[in-house]
């Protein structure tokens, strides 16, 4: 029976498999293929989809396997894609590898993760098995409730674009001795980026988009975690988002200045001063959550997260002006269900009530616009129970759709219960249901 040795190699009889041999083991490859297919995702520069991967591997895997084992495999360039950052503040660059390279990276990840992950800091939560953003938020709240009511909120400047390859590979090489694996990782780091048919070389950074990038970022930032632990700080890190909790503003300023110097000298990473700072935790956000100012430090949804949700919903609502309202409501409810599931830890309900009221008014606004003419509005208002005199006065009031959507005649004609019958999800009700279930 095959066993895993402490060094991360498999023992098969009398022969220890090298890391690259573990990567190309049939069982590992089947698991990697299943994960890549499950994750789906866009094609890379070659246009191959996940549905094409199995057939391609059947035809070409013998050659690819030999290249991996001999250390001669060269990844294809990644496809450059830019997506808006949350809040609309600039763009985030993604590098989309080909499906084949995602498959190989996933196989690598499955072998490397058991070597590195058990050694990571207990305060690190991002992109790790059996760890979640919710656990990170709860740990942060515990520090605040214990009296550490100042936060050093640190944002690394373009972290995934600025990772120094030599610094990162030096830390990988401390645990990985297989030269072929090290060479393959470096080639993935240096794979060019393709945009508009032109390829640009990469000398730094590990663009988001490939399965291996999150693990590599944790390997690099683990040294930061260890430094924070050595100094005795209370901190929580999720990917490149790190909060350190202290008891005074003066202590926070000292910590920020000291860590900024340390990161630049040791990891060659810069702190984004515009987004970093020392503040009360209820005036900052962490993974979409914030807290109340009272001693219990109750969790609440950060205002910025509410605004991002409304931006998403506005886009869906604009698309729904020419559609059946029930179809629009169905699309909205899919987004709402995922959002409230993520924010189910929130103990302050005001955000859920606010979005519920806002969304109902937006839907009434769509209905008012769809009625268009005063004659149609009179007919529809009467059909929904208003007397003729009130319907005529409401239909000819000269006010705009948003005002009418919040007026009493639309509340009477299109009650909240009617929107729920169409399938509209109430964030408040869903939050209460999830809270009871947990």
């Amino acid at each position: 029976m095959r066993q895993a040795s402490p060094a991360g190699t498999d023992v098969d009889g009398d022969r220890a498999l090298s890391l690259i041999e573990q990567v190309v083991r049939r069982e590992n490859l089947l698991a990697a293929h299943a994960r890549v297919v499950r994750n789906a995702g866009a094609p890379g520069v070659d246009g191959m989809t996940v549905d094409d991967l199995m057939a391609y591997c059947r035809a070409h895997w013998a050659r690819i396997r030999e290249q991996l084992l001999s250390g001669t495999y060269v990844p294809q360039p990644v496809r450059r894609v830019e997506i808006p950052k949350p809040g609309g503040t600039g763009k985030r660059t993604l590098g989309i590898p080909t499906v084949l390279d995602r498959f190989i990276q996933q196989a690598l990840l499955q072998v490397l993760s058991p070597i590195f992950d058990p050694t990571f800091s207990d305060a690190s939560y991002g992109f790790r098995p059996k760890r979640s953003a919710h656990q990170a938020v709860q740990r942060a709240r515990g520090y605040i409730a214990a009296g550490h009511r100042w936060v050093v909120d640190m944002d690394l400047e373009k972290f995934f674009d600025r990772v120094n390859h030599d610094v990162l590979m030096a830390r990988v090489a401390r645990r990985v001795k297989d030269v072929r694996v090290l060479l393959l990782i470096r080639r993935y780091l240096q794979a060019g980026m393709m945009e508009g048919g032109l390829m640009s070389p990469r000398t730094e950074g590990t663009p988001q988009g490939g399965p291996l990038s999150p693990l590599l970022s944790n390997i690099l930032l683990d040294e930061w975690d260890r430094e924070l632990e050595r100094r005795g700080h209370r901190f929580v890190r999720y990917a490149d988002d790190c909060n350190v909790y202290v008891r005074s503003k003066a202590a926070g300023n000292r910590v920020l200045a000291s860590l900024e110097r340390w990161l630049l000298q040791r990891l060659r990473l810069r702190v984004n001063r515009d987004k970093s700072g020392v503040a009360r935790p209820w005036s900052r956000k962490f993974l979409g959550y914030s807290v109340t100012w009272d001693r219990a430090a109750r969790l609440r949804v950060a205002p910025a997260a509410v605004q991002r949700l409304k931006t998403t919903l506005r886009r869906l609502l604009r698309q729904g002006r020419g559609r059946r309202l029930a179809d629009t409501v169905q699309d909205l409810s899919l987004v709402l269900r995922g959002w409230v599931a993520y924010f189910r830890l929130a103990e302050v309900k005001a955000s859920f009530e606010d979005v519920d009221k806002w969304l109902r008014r937006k839907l009434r606004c769509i209905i008012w616009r769809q009625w268009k003419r005063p004659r149609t509005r009179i007919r529809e208002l009467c059909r929904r129970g208003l007397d003729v005199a009130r319907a005529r006065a409401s239909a000819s009031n000269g006010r705009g759709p948003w005002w009418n959507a919040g007026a009493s005649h639309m509340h009477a004609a299109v009650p909240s219960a009617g929107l729920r019958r169409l399938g509209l999800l109430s964030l408040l009700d869903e939050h209460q249901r999830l809270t009871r279930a947990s």
Side-chain angles (χ1 to χ4, degrees), residues 179-241:
V179 175
R180 293 164 296 179
V181 171
L182 294 174
L183 184 61
L184 182 59
I185 293 172
R186 184 174 280 277
R187 284 175 177 162
Y188 274 121
L189 289 173
Q190 295 177 337
M193 187 169 286
M194 186 80 75
E195 183 179 27
L198 299 175
M199 189 185 75
S200 55
R202 267 209 333 264
T203 58
E204 62 179 1
T206 170
Q208 301 172 77
L212 203 55
S213 291
L215 176 64
L216 295 178
S217 68
N218 274 332
I219 291 172
L220 180 64
L221 293 178
D222 185 60
E223 190 164 341
W224 186 18
D225 298 338
R226 297 305 175 188
E227 178 64 16
L228 289 167
E229 289 175 345
R230 189 187 67 78
R231 298 183 185 192
H233 290 312
R234 292 161 179 82
F235 72 100
V236 184
R237 183 177 66 79
Y238 192 95
D240 58 330
D241 196 351

Side-chain angles (χ1 to χ4, degrees), residues 124-407:
S124 166
Y125 289 89
F127 310 119
R128 297 185 59 191
K130 299 181 180 178
R131 289 184 164 245
S132 68
H134 284 172
Q135 293 171 331
V137 167
Q138 289 171 322
R139 183 164 184 157
R141 178 201 173 188
Y143 289 143
I144 299 165
H148 299 83
R149 295 169 69 81
W150 287 89
V151 60
V152 183
D153 187 355
M154 302 191 68
D155 182 89
L156 298 179
E157 188 177 86
K158 297 183 178 179
F159 169 69
F160 285 95
D161 298 332
R162 298 283 174 82
V163 169
N164 183 281
H165 291 172
D166 291 335
V167 173
L168 172 57
M169 289 306 302
R171 276 131 188 94
V172 174
R174 291 173 184 173
R175 305 293 303 278
V176 174
K177 303 305 179 185
D178 191 323
V179 175
R180 293 164 296 179
V181 171
L182 294 174
L183 184 61
L184 182 59
I185 293 172
R186 184 174 280 277
R187 284 175 177 162
Y188 274 121
L189 289 173
Q190 295 177 337
M193 187 169 286
M194 186 80 75
E195 183 179 27
L198 299 175
M199 189 185 75
S200 55
R202 267 209 333 264
T203 58
E204 62 179 1
T206 170
Q208 301 172 77
L212 203 55
S213 291
L215 176 64
L216 295 178
S217 68
N218 274 332
I219 291 172
L220 180 64
L221 293 178
D222 185 60
E223 190 164 341
W224 186 18
D225 298 338
R226 297 305 175 188
E227 178 64 16
L228 289 167
E229 289 175 345
R230 189 187 67 78
R231 298 183 185 192
H233 290 312
R234 292 161 179 82
F235 72 100
V236 184
R237 183 177 66 79
Y238 192 95
D240 58 330
D241 196 351
C242 183
N243 280 2
V244 183
Y245 296 90
V246 296
R247 292 187 180 273
S248 70
K249 185 176 182 179
N253 286 328
R254 288 194 299 270
V255 168
L256 179 58
S258 176
L259 289 177
E260 186 175 17
R261 291 192 300 270
W262 187 91
L263 283 164
L264 185 59
Q265 293 170 1
R266 293 297 297 273
L267 302 183
R268 301 187 191 178
L269 297 172
R270 294 183 181 275
V271 172
N272 186 334
R273 272 290 188 165
D274 292 335
K275 295 183 179 180
S276 303
V278 179
R280 293 293 195 179
W282 46 87
S283 68
R284 309 290 286 197
K285 63 180 176 66
F286 181 58
L287 301 178
Y289 282 86
S290 189
V291 296
T292 58
W293 58 268
D294 54 81
R295 288 291 173 187
R298 292 176 299 151
L299 290 172
R300 64 185 180 93
V301 183
V306 175
Q307 290 307 312
R308 284 200 299 272
L309 173 64
K310 288 183 176 180
T311 298
T312 300
L313 296 178
R314 282 191 188 97
R315 185 174 66 253
L316 294 175
L317 290 164
R318 282 195 297 271
Q319 295 170 357
R321 289 178 183 174
R323 302 172 62 201
R324 291 176 58 247
L325 192 65
D327 294 337
T328 299
V329 166
Q330 185 177 12
D331 292 345
L332 294 170
S333 293
L334 290 173
V335 174
L336 294 171
R337 187 168 282 109
W339 192 84
V340 73
Y342 178 76
F343 287 107
R344 66 181 181 271
L345 298 182
E347 298 158 288
V348 178
K349 302 176 183 178
S351 296
F352 304 112
E353 293 173 322
D354 169 64
V355 175
D356 278 342
K357 291 177 182 177
W358 175 85
L359 186 53
R360 287 194 296 265
R361 187 169 179 178
K362 294 291 283 187
L363 290 171
R364 292 185 181 109
C365 188
I366 289 177
I367 294 171
W368 186 261
R369 287 179 184 275
Q370 288 177 343
W371 290 344
K372 293 183 180 178
R373 297 180 178 85
R375 183 173 55 190
T376 305
R377 290 168 180 168
I378 294 170
R379 184 183 70 244
E380 293 296 333
L381 290 171
C382 289
R383 193 167 68 86
R384 287 165 168 77
L386 274 68
D387 61 71
V388 175
R390 186 182 179 192
R392 284 177 176 168
S394 300
S396 59
N397 60 33
R399 303 275 191 167
W402 182 249
W403 186 92
N404 278 283

Side-chain angles (χ1 to χ4, degrees), residues 69-170:
L69 290 173
S70 64
T72 59
Y73 179 80
V74 179
Q76 294 188 67
V78 298
R79 182 165 65 88
R80 181 187 179 95
V81 176
E82 289 191 341
I83 60 172
K85 286 186 177 180
T89 56
K91 299 277 189 177
R92 173 174 288 129
T93 300
L94 300 183
I96 309 299
T98 64
V99 172
L100 175 62
D101 282 321
R102 294 209 295 270
F103 169 54
I104 297 172
Q105 283 192 37
Q106 181 63 38
L108 264 174
L109 175 67
Q110 291 167 182
V111 170
L112 294 177
S113 186
I115 297 173
F116 286 97
D117 190 81
T119 69
F120 288 154
S121 168
D122 190 51
S124 166
Y125 289 89
F127 310 119
R128 297 185 59 191
K130 299 181 180 178
R131 289 184 164 245
S132 68
H134 284 172
Q135 293 171 331
V137 167
Q138 289 171 322
R139 183 164 184 157
R141 178 201 173 188
Y143 289 143
I144 299 165
H148 299 83
R149 295 169 69 81
W150 287 89
V151 60
V152 183
D153 187 355
M154 302 191 68
D155 182 89
L156 298 179
E157 188 177 86
K158 297 183 178 179
F159 169 69
F160 285 95
D161 298 332
R162 298 283 174 82
V163 169
N164 183 281
H165 291 172
D166 291 335
V167 173
L168 172 57
M169 289 306 302

